[in-house]
Amino acid sequence: ENLKTQQWYDALGESPPKISLTMKTPPPSKGTQGPFVVKTHKKRNTWMNDLKERFGITTRVFTSSNLNHTHVNTSLHHQALPNMYNCSLCEVDSYVPIFGLSQEDVKLLKDFMSSYEILRQCCGLQQSKYNRYRLHGCNVTQLLIDQPDIHYPHCEQHDLPKLEKEFDALPLNPSQFENNYSWKKPGDCAHYDKKIIAGRDFNNRKFVSCAVTHPWATHH
């Protein structure tokens, strides 16, 4: 993967960018476009070509799936689900040669992601199915029997208010989702838990039943 990455930059006549992650990113100067991230489920590259042709914006492609390979030949790194299960924080190491990360950067990113993983699974209206069902008062023991592939996130074992404050204090800007489903600030874990207990579920849909055959019961 490192060889592929270097060859990719050599073909463009460029070098891997050197970046520092130890400070929150300042806003770009007026009239310029700062770094940004776009997530898409589309496999076509037409939007990337459009950004280049219309605005002169060069994109770097990263892919992810439940497979160990990708059909996108321009991908700098492919994040495979089996690897995430085995060692999710090890994925940070794969980005070291791509972005020229220092040891300090890697430590900061791993601190950030270790906390973010917990908040993503244990807070908000897109948290793990197990924890949503636990808050609904469902028989989660039976849930794990009926759906053995369900991930158990151990949310009850975490001091979430403490974790929220520690995560908020890290010198990185967390991704801000443009919805009202995800964690954004300390106190959101308790806020969303109350909404789920009151009858809301995944993406703020009305909770209907503890039955695992519900149409959106696959959101783990």
Side-chain angles (χ1 to χ4, degrees):
E1 189 65 41
N2 291 357
L3 178 60
K4 172 187 173 184
T5 299
Q6 189 59 54
Q7 288 176 335
W8 193 92
Y9 280 110
D10 289 343
L12 291 178
E14 300 179 2
S15 299
K18 300 295 182 180
I19 64 174
S20 175
L21 300 174
T22 55
M23 296 182 63
K24 291 193 174 183
T25 305
S29 58
K30 187 175 182 180
T32 63
Q33 172 64 58
F36 65 96
V37 177
V38 176
K39 176 185 176 183
T40 178
H41 293 281
K42 296 180 180 179
K43 297 181 180 179
R44 294 185 296 240
N45 295 338
T46 53
W47 64 273
M48 292 184 290
N49 295 333
D50 190 51
L51 285 174
K52 179 67 174 179
E53 293 174 4
R54 294 179 59 191
F55 307 106
I57 297 175
T58 300
T59 56
R60 302 287 185 256
V61 182
F62 300 88
T63 54
S64 63
S65 73
N66 58 354
L67 303 174
N68 286 318
H69 64 277
T70 176
H71 298 293
V72 181
N73 57 14
T74 56
S75 176
L76 289 180
H77 174 63
H78 180 68
Q79 195 167 274
L81 187 59
N83 295 336
M84 294 295 292
Y85 281 141
N86 293 334
C87 180
S88 59
L89 294 182
C90 294
E91 285 295 300
V92 173
D93 299 321
S94 299
Y95 293 91
V96 171
I98 299 175
F99 293 108
L101 302 177
S102 66
Q103 291 184 350
E104 184 181 5
D105 294 331
V106 171
K107 182 181 183 305
L108 177 58
L109 280 172
K110 289 186 176 182
D111 288 344
F112 180 92
M113 291 307 301
S114 63
S115 296
Y116 178 78
E117 286 181 354
I118 297 171
L119 292 176
R120 182 68 171 148
Q121 295 179 86
C122 301
C123 298
L125 294 175
Q126 293 184 338
Q127 62 180 275
S128 69
K129 179 179 178 180
Y130 177 95
N131 207 47
R132 297 198 318 270
Y133 272 45
R134 180 181 69 84
L135 293 170
H136 286 311
C138 300
N139 185 340
V140 288
T141 300
Q142 188 62 45
L143 173 68
L144 294 177
I145 294 174
D146 294 339
Q147 292 194 353
D149 61 328
I150 289 288
H151 176 64
Y152 173 44
H154 303 275
C155 296
E156 309 95 309
Q157 300 178 17
H158 297 294
D159 185 343
L160 294 177
K162 179 175 180 288
L163 181 66
E164 287 179 285
K165 293 178 181 178
E166 292 175 347
F167 182 69
D168 189 59
L170 289 174
L172 283 177
N173 290 311
S175 174
Q176 294 298 323
F177 295 95
E178 294 183 1
N179 60 43
N180 294 317
Y181 310 145
S182 307
W183 187 93
K184 291 185 176 66
K185 62 185 185 303
D188 277 355
C189 288
H191 167 72
Y192 285 116
D193 281 359
K194 289 178 181 177
K195 294 191 71 170
I196 292 173
I197 292 171
R200 307 315 297 177
D201 200 55
F202 188 82
N203 280 2
N204 206 30
R205 297 183 178 116
K206 181 180 179 181
F207 181 70
V208 178
S209 168
C210 291
V212 297
T213 55
H214 197 272
W216 58 79
T218 56
H219 294 291
H220 300 175

PDB file of all heavy atoms in Angstrom, residues 124-147:
ATOM      1  N   GLY A 124     -26.691   9.443  20.661  1.00  0.00           N
ATOM      2  CA  GLY A 124     -27.370   9.902  19.456  1.00  0.00           C
ATOM      3  C   GLY A 124     -28.441   8.947  18.968  1.00  0.00           C
ATOM      4  O   GLY A 124     -28.627   7.848  19.496  1.00  0.00           O
ATOM      5  N   LEU A 125     -29.130   9.363  17.914  1.00  0.00           N
ATOM      6  CA  LEU A 125     -30.206   8.561  17.344  1.00  0.00           C
ATOM      7  C   LEU A 125     -29.706   7.619  16.257  1.00  0.00           C
ATOM      8  O   LEU A 125     -30.499   6.982  15.570  1.00  0.00           O
ATOM      9  CB  LEU A 125     -31.299   9.478  16.784  1.00  0.00           C
ATOM     10  CG  LEU A 125     -32.043  10.304  17.849  1.00  0.00           C
ATOM     11  CD1 LEU A 125     -33.027  11.264  17.191  1.00  0.00           C
ATOM     12  CD2 LEU A 125     -32.776   9.392  18.833  1.00  0.00           C
ATOM     13  N   GLN A 126     -28.375   7.532  16.097  1.00  0.00           N
ATOM     14  CA  GLN A 126     -27.789   6.546  15.196  1.00  0.00           C
ATOM     15  C   GLN A 126     -26.855   5.621  15.969  1.00  0.00           C
ATOM     16  O   GLN A 126     -26.014   4.951  15.378  1.00  0.00           O
ATOM     17  CB  GLN A 126     -27.031   7.248  14.060  1.00  0.00           C
ATOM     18  CG  GLN A 126     -27.927   8.010  13.107  1.00  0.00           C
ATOM     19  CD  GLN A 126     -27.158   8.623  11.946  1.00  0.00           C
ATOM     20  OE1 GLN A 126     -25.954   8.836  12.029  1.00  0.00           O
ATOM     21  NE2 GLN A 126     -27.853   8.923  10.873  1.00  0.00           N
ATOM     22  N   GLN A 127     -27.028   5.575  17.284  1.00  0.00           N
ATOM     23  CA  GLN A 127     -26.180   4.715  18.095  1.00  0.00           C
ATOM     24  C   GLN A 127     -26.512   3.256  17.837  1.00  0.00           C
ATOM     25  O   GLN A 127     -27.445   2.922  17.096  1.00  0.00           O
ATOM     26  CB  GLN A 127     -26.341   5.049  19.571  1.00  0.00           C
ATOM     27  CG  GLN A 127     -27.751   4.842  20.110  1.00  0.00           C
ATOM     28  CD  GLN A 127     -27.849   5.184  21.590  1.00  0.00           C
ATOM     29  OE1 GLN A 127     -27.573   4.363  22.448  1.00  0.00           O
ATOM     30  NE2 GLN A 127     -28.243   6.423  21.885  1.00  0.00           N
ATOM     31  N   SER A 128     -25.753   2.364  18.438  1.00  0.00           N
ATOM     32  CA  SER A 128     -25.897   0.942  18.169  1.00  0.00           C
ATOM     33  C   SER A 128     -27.302   0.448  18.471  1.00  0.00           C
ATOM     34  O   SER A 128     -27.998   0.953  19.355  1.00  0.00           O
ATOM     35  CB  SER A 128     -24.906   0.144  19.021  1.00  0.00           C
ATOM     36  OG  SER A 128     -25.267   0.213  20.395  1.00  0.00           O
ATOM     37  N   LYS A 129     -27.707  -0.537  17.709  1.00  0.00           N
ATOM     38  CA  LYS A 129     -29.031  -1.123  17.897  1.00  0.00           C
ATOM     39  C   LYS A 129     -29.174  -1.721  19.301  1.00  0.00           C
ATOM     40  O   LYS A 129     -30.210  -1.575  19.950  1.00  0.00           O
ATOM     41  CB  LYS A 129     -29.278  -2.201  16.852  1.00  0.00           C
ATOM     42  CG  LYS A 129     -30.625  -2.888  16.977  1.00  0.00           C
ATOM     43  CD  LYS A 129     -30.810  -3.918  15.900  1.00  0.00           C
ATOM     44  CE  LYS A 129     -32.148  -4.620  16.067  1.00  0.00           C
ATOM     45  NZ  LYS A 129     -32.354  -5.644  15.016  1.00  0.00           N
ATOM     46  N   TYR A 130     -28.110  -2.369  19.762  1.00  0.00           N
ATOM     47  CA  TYR A 130     -28.158  -2.967  21.092  1.00  0.00           C
ATOM     48  C   TYR A 130     -28.519  -1.924  22.140  1.00  0.00           C
ATOM     49  O   TYR A 130     -29.408  -2.140  22.970  1.00  0.00           O
ATOM     50  CB  TYR A 130     -26.826  -3.626  21.437  1.00  0.00           C
ATOM     51  CG  TYR A 130     -26.803  -4.208  22.838  1.00  0.00           C
ATOM     52  CD1 TYR A 130     -27.104  -5.541  23.056  1.00  0.00           C
ATOM     53  CD2 TYR A 130     -26.512  -3.402  23.950  1.00  0.00           C
ATOM     54  CE1 TYR A 130     -27.113  -6.077  24.345  1.00  0.00           C
ATOM     55  CE2 TYR A 130     -26.518  -3.925  25.231  1.00  0.00           C
ATOM     56  CZ  TYR A 130     -26.818  -5.264  25.418  1.00  0.00           C
ATOM     57  OH  TYR A 130     -26.833  -5.777  26.694  1.00  0.00           O
ATOM     58  N   ASN A 131     -27.821  -0.792  22.113  1.00  0.00           N
ATOM     59  CA  ASN A 131     -28.063   0.199  23.158  1.00  0.00           C
ATOM     60  C   ASN A 131     -29.414   0.881  23.002  1.00  0.00           C
ATOM     61  O   ASN A 131     -30.060   1.229  23.996  1.00  0.00           O
ATOM     62  CB  ASN A 131     -26.943   1.250  23.171  1.00  0.00           C
ATOM     63  CG  ASN A 131     -26.768   1.859  24.542  1.00  0.00           C
ATOM     64  OD1 ASN A 131     -26.722   1.150  25.544  1.00  0.00           O
ATOM     65  ND2 ASN A 131     -26.701   3.182  24.603  1.00  0.00           N
ATOM     66  N   ARG A 132     -29.862   1.091  21.768  1.00  0.00           N
ATOM     67  CA  ARG A 132     -31.210   1.648  21.582  1.00  0.00           C
ATOM     68  C   ARG A 132     -32.255   0.704  22.158  1.00  0.00           C
ATOM     69  O   ARG A 132     -33.187   1.142  22.852  1.00  0.00           O
ATOM     70  CB  ARG A 132     -31.495   1.890  20.094  1.00  0.00           C
ATOM     71  CG  ARG A 132     -30.605   2.902  19.420  1.00  0.00           C
ATOM     72  CD  ARG A 132     -31.188   3.408  18.106  1.00  0.00           C
ATOM     73  NE  ARG A 132     -31.787   2.390  17.286  1.00  0.00           N
ATOM     74  CZ  ARG A 132     -31.139   1.690  16.358  1.00  0.00           C
ATOM     75  NH1 ARG A 132     -29.829   1.868  16.181  1.00  0.00           N
ATOM     76  NH2 ARG A 132     -31.774   0.794  15.629  1.00  0.00           N
ATOM     77  N   TYR A 133     -32.116  -0.583  21.887  1.00  0.00           N
ATOM     78  CA  TYR A 133     -33.088  -1.556  22.388  1.00  0.00           C
ATOM     79  C   TYR A 133     -33.014  -1.678  23.906  1.00  0.00           C
ATOM     80  O   TYR A 133     -34.025  -1.882  24.580  1.00  0.00           O
ATOM     81  CB  TYR A 133     -32.855  -2.915  21.713  1.00  0.00           C
ATOM     82  CG  TYR A 133     -33.603  -3.057  20.405  1.00  0.00           C
ATOM     83  CD1 TYR A 133     -33.600  -2.009  19.480  1.00  0.00           C
ATOM     84  CD2 TYR A 133     -34.307  -4.211  20.093  1.00  0.00           C
ATOM     85  CE1 TYR A 133     -34.280  -2.124  18.283  1.00  0.00           C
ATOM     86  CE2 TYR A 133     -34.994  -4.332  18.894  1.00  0.00           C
ATOM     87  CZ  TYR A 133     -34.981  -3.282  17.993  1.00  0.00           C
ATOM     88  OH  TYR A 133     -35.670  -3.392  16.817  1.00  0.00           O
ATOM     89  N   ARG A 134     -31.806  -1.541  24.452  1.00  0.00           N
ATOM     90  CA  ARG A 134     -31.662  -1.564  25.914  1.00  0.00           C
ATOM     91  C   ARG A 134     -32.440  -0.399  26.531  1.00  0.00           C
ATOM     92  O   ARG A 134     -33.149  -0.569  27.523  1.00  0.00           O
ATOM     93  CB  ARG A 134     -30.187  -1.487  26.290  1.00  0.00           C
ATOM     94  CG  ARG A 134     -29.911  -1.504  27.796  1.00  0.00           C
ATOM     95  CD  ARG A 134     -28.433  -1.389  28.095  1.00  0.00           C
ATOM     96  NE  ARG A 134     -27.912  -0.071  27.756  1.00  0.00           N
ATOM     97  CZ  ARG A 134     -27.985   0.989  28.562  1.00  0.00           C
ATOM     98  NH1 ARG A 134     -28.574   0.892  29.749  1.00  0.00           N
ATOM     99  NH2 ARG A 134     -27.472   2.140  28.194  1.00  0.00           N
ATOM    100  N   LEU A 135     -32.308   0.787  25.920  1.00  0.00           N
ATOM    101  CA  LEU A 135     -33.016   1.966  26.420  1.00  0.00           C
ATOM    102  C   LEU A 135     -34.525   1.842  26.243  1.00  0.00           C
ATOM    103  O   LEU A 135     -35.295   2.391  27.026  1.00  0.00           O
ATOM    104  CB  LEU A 135     -32.496   3.218  25.704  1.00  0.00           C
ATOM    105  CG  LEU A 135     -31.042   3.598  26.012  1.00  0.00           C
ATOM    106  CD1 LEU A 135     -30.567   4.698  25.065  1.00  0.00           C
ATOM    107  CD2 LEU A 135     -30.894   4.048  27.458  1.00  0.00           C
ATOM    108  N   HIS A 136     -34.935   1.113  25.221  1.00  0.00           N
ATOM    109  CA  HIS A 136     -36.367   0.891  25.005  1.00  0.00           C
ATOM    110  C   HIS A 136     -36.943  -0.113  25.998  1.00  0.00           C
ATOM    111  O   HIS A 136     -38.166  -0.261  26.087  1.00  0.00           O
ATOM    112  CB  HIS A 136     -36.625   0.366  23.588  1.00  0.00           C
ATOM    113  CG  HIS A 136     -36.484   1.404  22.520  1.00  0.00           C
ATOM    114  ND1 HIS A 136     -37.089   2.632  22.590  1.00  0.00           N
ATOM    115  CD2 HIS A 136     -35.815   1.388  21.343  1.00  0.00           C
ATOM    116  CE1 HIS A 136     -36.795   3.335  21.504  1.00  0.00           C
ATOM    117  NE2 HIS A 136     -36.017   2.614  20.743  1.00  0.00           N
ATOM    118  N   GLY A 137     -36.068  -0.801  26.727  1.00  0.00           N
ATOM    119  CA  GLY A 137     -36.531  -1.802  27.683  1.00  0.00           C
ATOM    120  C   GLY A 137     -36.748  -3.166  27.069  1.00  0.00           C
ATOM    121  O   GLY A 137     -37.428  -4.017  27.662  1.00  0.00           O
ATOM    122  N   CYS A 138     -36.184  -3.401  25.886  1.00  0.00           N
ATOM    123  CA  CYS A 138     -36.337  -4.695  25.218  1.00  0.00           C
ATOM    124  C   CYS A 138     -35.449  -5.749  25.881  1.00  0.00           C
ATOM    125  O   CYS A 138     -34.523  -5.424  26.631  1.00  0.00           O
ATOM    126  CB  CYS A 138     -35.951  -4.574  23.741  1.00  0.00           C
ATOM    127  SG  CYS A 138     -36.943  -3.395  22.800  1.00  0.00           S
ATOM    128  N   ASN A 139     -35.731  -6.993  25.579  1.00  0.00           N
ATOM    129  CA  ASN A 139     -34.929  -8.106  26.081  1.00  0.00           C
ATOM    130  C   ASN A 139     -33.675  -8.203  25.220  1.00  0.00           C
ATOM    131  O   ASN A 139     -33.667  -8.850  24.176  1.00  0.00           O
ATOM    132  CB  ASN A 139     -35.738  -9.401  25.999  1.00  0.00           C
ATOM    133  CG  ASN A 139     -34.997 -10.587  26.616  1.00  0.00           C
ATOM    134  OD1 ASN A 139     -33.778 -10.552  26.774  1.00  0.00           O
ATOM    135  ND2 ASN A 139     -35.731 -11.641  26.949  1.00  0.00           N
ATOM    136  N   VAL A 140     -32.605  -7.548  25.640  1.00  0.00           N
ATOM    137  CA  VAL A 140     -31.395  -7.510  24.822  1.00  0.00           C
ATOM    138  C   VAL A 140     -30.661  -8.854  24.824  1.00  0.00           C
ATOM    139  O   VAL A 140     -29.904  -9.146  23.889  1.00  0.00           O
ATOM    140  CB  VAL A 140     -30.450  -6.375  25.287  1.00  0.00           C
ATOM    141  CG1 VAL A 140     -31.020  -5.028  24.903  1.00  0.00           C
ATOM    142  CG2 VAL A 140     -30.189  -6.451  26.778  1.00  0.00           C
ATOM    143  N   THR A 141     -30.877  -9.659  25.838  1.00  0.00           N
ATOM    144  CA  THR A 141     -30.289 -11.005  25.833  1.00  0.00           C
ATOM    145  C   THR A 141     -30.865 -11.810  24.681  1.00  0.00           C
ATOM    146  O   THR A 141     -30.136 -12.483  23.946  1.00  0.00           O
ATOM    147  CB  THR A 141     -30.569 -11.724  27.167  1.00  0.00           C
ATOM    148  OG1 THR A 141     -30.009 -10.975  28.242  1.00  0.00           O
ATOM    149  CG2 THR A 141     -29.977 -13.133  27.146  1.00  0.00           C
ATOM    150  N   GLN A 142     -32.192 -11.712  24.499  1.00  0.00           N
ATOM    151  CA  GLN A 142     -32.846 -12.401  23.393  1.00  0.00           C
ATOM    152  C   GLN A 142     -32.429 -11.799  22.052  1.00  0.00           C
ATOM    153  O   GLN A 142     -32.296 -12.503  21.050  1.00  0.00           O
ATOM    154  CB  GLN A 142     -34.367 -12.319  23.541  1.00  0.00           C
ATOM    155  CG  GLN A 142     -35.149 -13.180  22.538  1.00  0.00           C
ATOM    156  CD  GLN A 142     -34.831 -14.660  22.704  1.00  0.00           C
ATOM    157  OE1 GLN A 142     -34.783 -15.172  23.825  1.00  0.00           O
ATOM    158  NE2 GLN A 142     -34.590 -15.345  21.587  1.00  0.00           N
ATOM    159  N   LEU A 143     -32.196 -10.491  22.046  1.00  0.00           N
ATOM    160  CA  LEU A 143     -31.750  -9.818  20.822  1.00  0.00           C
ATOM    161  C   LEU A 143     -30.427 -10.412  20.342  1.00  0.00           C
ATOM    162  O   LEU A 143     -30.256 -10.686  19.147  1.00  0.00           O
ATOM    163  CB  LEU A 143     -31.590  -8.320  21.072  1.00  0.00           C
ATOM    164  CG  LEU A 143     -30.980  -7.490  19.935  1.00  0.00           C
ATOM    165  CD1 LEU A 143     -31.929  -7.419  18.741  1.00  0.00           C
ATOM    166  CD2 LEU A 143     -30.645  -6.084  20.419  1.00  0.00           C
ATOM    167  N   LEU A 144     -29.494 -10.617  21.258  1.00  0.00           N
ATOM    168  CA  LEU A 144     -28.195 -11.175  20.886  1.00  0.00           C
ATOM    169  C   LEU A 144     -28.316 -12.625  20.446  1.00  0.00           C
ATOM    170  O   LEU A 144     -27.517 -13.098  19.624  1.00  0.00           O
ATOM    171  CB  LEU A 144     -27.223 -11.059  22.055  1.00  0.00           C
ATOM    172  CG  LEU A 144     -26.822  -9.634  22.463  1.00  0.00           C
ATOM    173  CD1 LEU A 144     -25.914  -9.654  23.676  1.00  0.00           C
ATOM    174  CD2 LEU A 144     -26.140  -8.915  21.306  1.00  0.00           C
ATOM    175  N   ILE A 145     -29.302 -13.335  20.971  1.00  0.00           N
ATOM    176  CA  ILE A 145     -29.532 -14.723  20.553  1.00  0.00           C
ATOM    177  C   ILE A 145     -30.121 -14.755  19.144  1.00  0.00           C
ATOM    178  O   ILE A 145     -29.696 -15.531  18.285  1.00  0.00           O
ATOM    179  CB  ILE A 145     -30.469 -15.440  21.540  1.00  0.00           C
ATOM    180  CG1 ILE A 145     -29.793 -15.586  22.908  1.00  0.00           C
ATOM    181  CG2 ILE A 145     -30.883 -16.815  20.996  1.00  0.00           C
ATOM    182  CD1 ILE A 145     -30.697 -16.150  23.983  1.00  0.00           C
ATOM    183  N   ASP A 146     -31.097 -13.882  18.901  1.00  0.00           N
ATOM    184  CA  ASP A 146     -31.771 -13.845  17.600  1.00  0.00           C
ATOM    185  C   ASP A 146     -30.884 -13.284  16.504  1.00  0.00           C
ATOM    186  O   ASP A 146     -30.979 -13.685  15.340  1.00  0.00           O
ATOM    187  CB  ASP A 146     -33.055 -13.010  17.693  1.00  0.00           C
ATOM    188  CG  ASP A 146     -34.103 -13.645  18.591  1.00  0.00           C
ATOM    189  OD1 ASP A 146     -34.016 -14.874  18.812  1.00  0.00           O
ATOM    190  OD2 ASP A 146     -34.996 -12.918  19.077  1.00  0.00           O
ATOM    191  N   GLN A 147     -30.026 -12.336  16.864  1.00  0.00           N
ATOM    192  CA  GLN A 147     -29.126 -11.730  15.886  1.00  0.00           C
ATOM    193  C   GLN A 147     -27.694 -11.755  16.443  1.00  0.00           C
ATOM    194  O   GLN A 147     -27.203 -10.752  16.968  1.00  0.00           O
ATOM    195  CB  GLN A 147     -29.554 -10.295  15.575  1.00  0.00           C
ATOM    196  CG  GLN A 147     -30.877 -10.212  14.814  1.00  0.00           C
ATOM    197  CD  GLN A 147     -31.109  -8.818  14.233  1.00  0.00           C
ATOM    198  OE1 GLN A 147     -30.375  -7.883  14.494  1.00  0.00           O
ATOM    199  NE2 GLN A 147     -32.156  -8.690  13.447  1.00  0.00           N
TER     200      GLN A 147
END
